[in-house]
Amino acid sequence: MSDKQTDDAVFSTRDLHLAAVLSTLKFPLLGIDIQVEGLNGGAKGYFRFEDNQQLRDARMKYNQGMLLIEPKSLLSNVRSLKGEVTNLTRNPVNSIT
């Protein structure tokens, strides 16, 4: 899992499940950055969220397995985010910023 914090208070992660959890918890998605990685040139989505104390608390609870989340909403968000990454790799002009 690769998580990054940048200087302008943005948290970025390529962990699809963490991004879906944060979306389910109503943290607004700022955008998705696509990067080509690896020997086979696979595209990876980096999900960006505004970094704040509530988000850091949610990440800590996620990593400790202490979150309770409505499963249908979580699965819906996983599918939606995965679809967005697929769409962005095929149609980079339609990116969310």
Side-chain angles (χ1 to χ4, degrees):
M1 172 171 51
S2 173
D3 295 341
K4 302 185 283 190
Q5 285 179 301
T6 59
D7 295 334
D8 53 352
V10 172
F11 169 72
S12 177
T13 183
R14 64 182 262 188
D15 183 340
L16 173 65
H17 296 104
L18 174 57
V21 165
L22 295 175
S23 292
T24 304
L25 293 173
K26 307 297 185 207
F27 289 100
L29 179 66
L30 299 178
I32 303 172
D33 297 325
I34 302 297
Q35 292 185 1
V36 177
E37 297 179 352
L39 297 175
N40 63 359
K44 301 292 181 189
Y46 283 81
F47 305 94
R48 291 184 288 117
F49 297 87
E50 183 178 337
D51 193 21
N52 57 42
Q53 188 57 49
Q54 291 84 10
L55 185 126
R56 287 189 290 274
D57 291 344
R59 284 175 44 215
M60 182 183 69
K61 289 178 183 178
Y62 171 82
N63 289 326
Q64 294 174 346
M66 296 174 57
L67 285 176
L68 296 177
I69 291 197
E70 202 283 309
K72 287 183 182 179
S73 295
L74 176 62
L75 291 174
S76 175
N77 282 324
V78 167
R79 278 189 233 112
S80 175
L81 291 173
K82 192 173 185 179
E84 280 295 325
V85 170
T86 301
N87 182 49
L88 290 173
T89 57
R90 293 181 182 165
N91 303 305
V93 175
N94 298 330
S95 67
I96 14 181
T97 341

